Amino acid sequence: MIKGSRWRLFFDTMVSLLRDEAKLRPMFRPFHVVFVVLVALSITEIASAREKTGLVLSGGGARGFAHVAVLEALEANQVRIDYIAGTSMGAVVGALYASGLTASEVRDKLLSVDWDSTLRDVTDRNERSFRNKSFEGRNFLGLDLGVAPGDVRLPLAALRGQKLALALNSLTLETATVTDFDSFAIPFRAMATDLATGDAVVLDRGSLATALRASMAVPVVYSPVEIDGRLYVDGGVANNLPVDVARDMGADRVIVVDTSSLRYSTNELTSVVTVVDQLTNLLTRRNTEAQLENLTDQDVLIEIFPEGIGTADFSKAEDALAIGRKSLAAVPDVFAAFRDDTASYQAWNAGRLNRSEPPTLAFVEVISDAPRTSSKTIANRLTVRPGQPLDNERLRSDLGKIYALETIDQVEVSVVEREDQVGLSLETKEKAWGPDYLDLGFTLEDSLDGRASYNLNGVVRATNINPLGGEWRTELTLGDKTRVTSELYQPIDYGSDWFVSAIVGFVREDRALYEEGTLTSTYSTETREYGFDAGYSLDTRGEFRLGFRQADIKNNKLLGADSLSTKVDDSRYFARAGFDTLDSLGFPTEGVRVLGEYSIYDAKLGATRQYDGLTLDVLYPFYHRNGRTLIGQGYFGYLFETAVTDVTPRYSLGGFTRLSGYSPNEISGRHAGLISFMGYQRLNERAVIPVDQPLFIGFSLEAGNVFQDRDEIRWGNTLSGGSVFVGADTAVGPGYLSFGRTEGGRQSVTLSVGRPFAERD
């Protein structure tokens, strides 16, 4: 039975009246004829009116990819959809279809997104500035705690959702001209939950990307989304299956697709992911069942519960889609009552898929709701220009640059029309818990023979301390080494790549000096320095800077022979260049990193000895396939000294991948060279232990040495060695457990956590 039967009842009643026409009194017959004609016309109009069909798509995370199978089936059965209402992933799928895409285009767009990294909010390393990349070796954990005098402010959730915001903006750029969701090819609604009241909220206008982000903002996991002064979270909390919303839009009948998961059993609650998923299920299932009670026999309910696919299993998105197709194939006539005739459907579909050309922009504006992030700084990062057609790829890249500032929490993109001119508007919001941030880190390198280095690291960043985007960064290291450094970094204009910086620092550490593997002396060394730099940033790829350091070193002997001068002035000029496109510092698979520095230790600047020095460090993953990676690395350090004999040793080797049979920094000298090849295989994440991060097994082959005199530098004096290791990207940075052996019988077992093998201290 379909809902149109009420019109048939009305029609039958009118026919019975016509049949009783002879029984009516003749004097009323003329009026009766007019009445019958009017009724007939009304009946014709009623009979010709097509019933409106609403499509309701539930949340469900990765299981929501099954919604795409429903879209495919609707197209195959020529079902015309008049309204769409969705929650969370159902809102994303529904919005793309409502905006005028075909089912196959929706599928391709969704599968083009790396949902695992997007929802884990993992910012691609190459989206970060080179300057921030250069601090990774300290292993700051990305805690992003807001700080103020006497106060520490926490983010509103574990993840900011910037990566999700960028992905949703990219998916919906074609709809940036639409701010009223009734203006889509199919009117659309997204569900969210008001965090203050817990009420269900229907989002029907504004930025589509922002609405979708609000609908997907799982509480505690992702930051709430601010819209018009209110904070919104995942719509599934209040209304996971918005049947009532579709009816309010005007739907006479609804096709309801439920992919929300059932509850886990006790035995299935085995991780943080399943616990969070279970809490979400408990919140959403109750309101889902309440909506299901409102369905009638005129509606269609399609339940797709992909077995073995959890909310966060986005690596199984295509499996969820396949299960959806299989479920629908089992009920081939499910849409029979909704099928439209071919001519009407094709005409409607052709109008729905009508695509307009990208508008030519008359203006580009930035509206900044960020007290300490200048709109000029953001505008100078844009390559989208007035007078050009809106280029979605270029705008996508520009949005990545804005988020790379790491101070912006939300960007709303819209194409607006003012005085017959079309322009691009970007509204940015700063992190609510900033603009000053605290982060922590931990590193250790232990040769498991009593020689170890343990350090706790912390950094405080005061961002946008002036309109030009200056930053004051202070780092503190406690443990085997005590270090305090503070840098004032200042772009010379709004968003400029040219910069200047001033730095001051103090380092105290114990140094052990060896000779042929035997400990000869131990010193406590204190270094005080300050300096000034100027340079140019190649955005995310590299940097070049010139500067000087005024440095005083005090060497206090603790035991052993006299090896170092008591006081040394280590002042120098330097030119430093870096280029880094590695996709990861812990276990890179592509890109390259080249770091080089030329230093002039100048007596005119106060240096104790006059000489020059050069260092060069290269890392290049040259092969990656099927989880296997091969890397080449070279390290070279050279002092251009002449008759000087008491120059402090500059370079050291030893430790994991740096002549692995030796302990960290065990051998040192005035010159050094190292060539190494590394290879590792990524294992299944859950093959050994149930962790979410990938595990690796690998090896290294190494050849190199340190030299006191230039005459000793030749291949015949190098040491060869290698290692085997297991590793993982842990919560506190990359970790490695290795067994190394170097020529001469030297061998060691090293545990390293927090310091990538590519990083040198």
Side-chain angles (χ1 to χ4, degrees):
M1 177 180 179
I2 62 173
K3 197 171 182 181
S5 60
R6 69 174 183 266
W7 303 117
R8 182 173 296 279
L9 177 62
F10 183 72
F11 179 81
D12 290 341
T13 302
M14 294 300 100
V15 170
S16 66
L17 287 174
L18 291 173
R19 288 174 179 172
D20 291 339
E21 179 182 355
K23 299 179 182 179
L24 297 175
R25 287 184 298 176
M27 63 178 297
F28 292 109
R29 187 168 297 173
F31 298 101
H32 177 64
V33 171
V34 175
F35 173 73
V36 168
V37 171
L38 292 175
V39 168
L41 291 174
S42 299
I43 291 173
T44 302
E45 182 179 353
I46 292 171
S48 64
R50 191 185 63 81
E51 292 189 328
K52 304 294 186 180
T53 302
L55 178 63
V56 179
L57 304 177
S58 76
R63 294 182 297 274
F65 278 83
H67 290 313
V68 179
V70 176
L71 300 183
E72 294 172 341
L74 292 174
E75 290 183 346
N77 285 274
Q78 298 184 169
V79 177
R80 177 175 173 176
I81 298 299
D82 299 283
Y83 309 102
I84 299 178
T87 299
S88 195
M89 184 53 72
V92 176
V93 175
L96 294 178
Y97 194 69
S99 67
L101 300 182
T102 65
S104 62
E105 288 172 332
V106 173
R107 180 193 65 235
D108 293 343
K109 274 200 170 235
L110 291 176
L111 293 179
S112 69
V113 177
D114 184 350
W115 288 99
D116 278 333
S117 66
T118 294
L119 295 175
R120 285 188 290 116
D121 213 26
V122 178
T123 301
D124 290 342
R125 189 168 182 270
N126 282 322
E127 293 176 358
R128 305 185 65 202
S129 69
F130 176 84
R131 181 166 178 268
N132 286 334
K133 289 180 190 178
S134 66
F135 297 123
E136 280 187 87
R138 273 79 146 174
N139 182 39
F140 297 112
L141 305 180
L143 297 178
D144 206 32
L145 304 176
V147 292
D151 186 25
V152 175
R153 297 189 294 268
L154 299 176
L156 296 178
L159 303 175
R160 302 201 307 268
Q162 284 189 340
K163 193 78 171 178
L164 177 60
L166 184 58
L168 292 175
N169 269 306
S170 298
L171 288 173
T172 60
L173 281 178
E174 287 80 1
T175 67
T177 57
V178 180
T179 57
D180 182 352
F181 299 169
D182 281 334
S183 299
F184 287 134
I186 302 174
F188 169 75
R189 300 290 186 270
M191 297 305 303
T193 302
D194 189 318
L195 185 59
T197 65
D199 295 335
V201 178
V202 180
L203 301 177
D204 61 356
R205 64 189 62 251
S207 165
L208 179 60
T210 301
L212 296 181
R213 183 182 171 193
S215 189
M216 296 184 71
V218 178
V220 181
V221 178
Y222 297 107
S223 294
V225 177
E226 181 182 345
I227 301 176
D228 296 331
R230 308 292 293 179
L231 293 178
Y232 297 114
V233 295
D234 192 338
V237 174
N239 192 349
N240 191 52
L241 198 66
V243 175
D244 56 342
V245 175
R247 294 202 195 281
D248 290 342
M249 294 175 74
D252 299 303
R253 54 187 182 177
V254 290
I255 297 171
V256 180
V257 188
D258 184 11
T259 64
S260 57
S261 66
L262 302 176
R263 289 185 284 270
Y264 291 95
S265 66
T266 300
N267 294 334
E268 292 173 320
L269 296 171
T270 58
S271 69
V272 173
V273 174
T274 55
V275 170
V276 172
D277 203 10
Q278 178 79 323
L279 292 174
T280 304
N281 294 339
L282 295 174
L283 289 170
T284 62
R285 197 64 208 172
R286 183 172 299 175
N287 66 64
T288 296
E289 292 171 352
Q291 291 288 332
L292 291 175
E293 291 177 359
N294 295 326
L295 297 182
T296 70
D297 56 358
Q298 302 152 19
D299 306 315
V300 168
L301 171 63
I302 301 170
E303 294 180 310
I304 304 175
F305 300 133
E307 186 176 351
I309 300 178
T311 301
D313 290 335
F314 281 87
S315 61
K316 300 178 181 179
E318 293 192 69
D319 295 336
L321 177 56
I323 292 171
R325 289 168 176 163
K326 183 177 179 181
S327 299
L328 289 166
V331 284
D333 296 327
V334 68
F335 298 125
F338 294 82
R339 188 176 291 120
D340 206 352
D341 66 88
T342 300
S344 297
Y345 178 80
Q346 289 180 347
W348 167 79
N349 200 44
R352 188 180 76 85
L353 301 179
N354 185 30
R355 311 290 169 82
S356 59
E357 293 295 323
T360 297
L361 302 176
F363 59 89
V364 177
E365 66 178 14
V366 176
I367 302 172
S368 179
D369 183 18
R372 285 173 57 170
T373 304
S374 169
S375 59
K376 292 183 180 179
T377 297
I378 297 172
N380 283 350
R381 288 181 169 260
L382 299 176
T383 59
V384 176
R385 294 284 187 264
Q388 301 175 350
L390 176 60
D391 186 328
N392 288 339
E393 289 300 322
R394 180 175 292 181
L395 179 56
R396 183 181 293 112
S397 174
D398 289 347
L399 292 175
K401 294 176 183 177
I402 294 172
Y403 281 119
L405 291 171
E406 301 189 14
T407 60
I408 299 299
D409 185 49
Q410 186 173 321
V411 182
E412 287 191 10
V413 181
S414 57
V415 177
V416 297
E417 186 173 350
R418 293 179 189 153
E419 299 178 355
D420 298 327
Q421 290 187 327
V422 176
L424 180 68
S425 177
L426 291 87
E427 184 174 352
T428 62
K429 291 183 172 65
E430 209 168 44
K431 296 177 185 176
W433 58 97
D436 304 330
Y437 306 95
L438 168 69
D439 203 354
L440 299 173
F442 174 76
T443 59
L444 74 85
E445 195 160 14
D446 193 338
S447 59
L448 305 184
D449 62 357
R451 287 174 287 188
S453 173
Y454 298 81
N455 291 294
L456 177 66
N457 306 311
V459 59
V460 175
R461 294 186 302 123
T463 65
N464 295 314
I465 59 177
N466 55 47
L468 298 182
E471 178 179 286
W472 184 11
R473 180 186 184 97
T474 301
E475 294 184 27
L476 172 65
T477 298
L478 298 174
D480 179 68
K481 174 186 296 185
T482 300
R483 175 169 54 193
V484 182
T485 60
S486 190
E487 180 193 22
L488 178 62
Y489 178 88
Q490 180 62 62
I492 65 173
D493 198 359
Y494 296 101
S496 174
D497 292 322
W498 292 97
F499 65 88
V500 294
S501 72
I503 188 169
V504 61
F506 170 81
V507 180
R508 179 166 54 205
E509 61 182 326
D510 291 341
R511 298 184 60 183
L513 302 180
Y514 298 84
E515 185 173 338
E516 297 181 354
T518 301
L519 179 66
T520 59
S521 58
T522 303
Y523 279 81
S524 175
T525 299
E526 293 184 0
T527 303
R528 293 172 173 83
E529 70 174 7
Y530 66 89
F532 179 84
D533 304 344
Y536 181 79
S537 172
L538 298 172
D539 201 13
T540 64
R541 296 164 297 159
E543 180 185 274
F544 176 79
R545 62 170 71 196
L546 300 171
F548 76 89
R549 293 290 182 271
Q550 185 79 46
D552 295 313
I553 301 175
K554 292 183 179 180
N555 297 311
N556 300 313
K557 187 179 70 175
L558 301 179
L559 59 87
D562 292 333
S563 302
L564 303 177
S565 300
T566 302
K567 293 184 178 181
V568 177
D569 189 312
D570 215 30
S571 301
R572 69 192 190 279
Y573 300 105
F574 67 87
R576 182 184 302 158
F579 187 84
D580 186 350
T581 59
L582 293 178
D583 59 343
S584 166
L585 199 57
F587 296 93
T589 61
E590 62 182 11
V592 65
R593 189 178 80 160
V594 181
L595 304 176
E597 181 175 316
Y598 190 90
S599 300
I600 301 173
Y601 297 84
D602 194 346
K604 295 179 181 178
L605 192 61
T608 303
R609 295 289 183 266
Q610 179 94 25
Y611 58 93
D612 300 350
L614 172 67
T615 60
L616 182 65
D617 197 342
V618 179
L619 182 71
Y620 175 49
F622 60 89
Y623 176 88
H624 176 69
R625 186 176 299 170
N626 298 326
R628 299 184 182 92
T629 305
L630 295 177
I631 292 179
Q633 183 173 17
Y635 174 68
F636 176 73
Y638 187 81
L639 295 184
F640 296 87
E641 26 94 359
T642 53
V644 180
T645 59
D646 59 348
V647 175
T648 301
R650 294 287 172 195
Y651 310 108
S652 63
L653 294 175
F656 177 52
T657 74
R658 304 190 294 270
L659 294 182
S660 299
Y662 288 88
S663 297
N665 302 314
E666 182 174 337
I667 52 177
S668 59
R670 293 196 290 273
H671 314 287
L674 176 70
I675 297 176
S676 58
F677 291 92
M678 289 154 279
Y680 40 84
Q681 168 72 55
R682 175 172 173 166
L683 304 175
N684 186 293
E685 290 97 302
R686 302 180 185 276
V688 181
I689 56 176
V691 297
D692 291 328
Q693 299 297 333
L695 300 173
F696 299 85
I697 185 170
F699 71 91
S700 67
L701 300 175
E702 308 147 19
N705 208 342
V706 297
F707 311 94
Q708 299 302 329
D709 299 315
R710 286 182 293 179
D711 294 340
E712 298 175 357
I713 304 174
R714 54 183 181 272
W715 184 257
N717 287 339
T718 59
L719 301 172
S720 60
S723 70
V724 292
F725 64 89
V726 293
D729 262 328
T730 73
V732 291
Y736 316 90
L737 179 61
S738 66
F739 171 77
R741 184 179 178 86
T742 300
E743 183 180 346
R746 293 302 305 272
Q747 59 187 35
S748 67
V749 177
T750 302
L751 174 64
S752 176
V753 176
R755 176 183 291 176
F757 64 77
E759 189 72 15
R760 299 178 187 279
D761 194 2

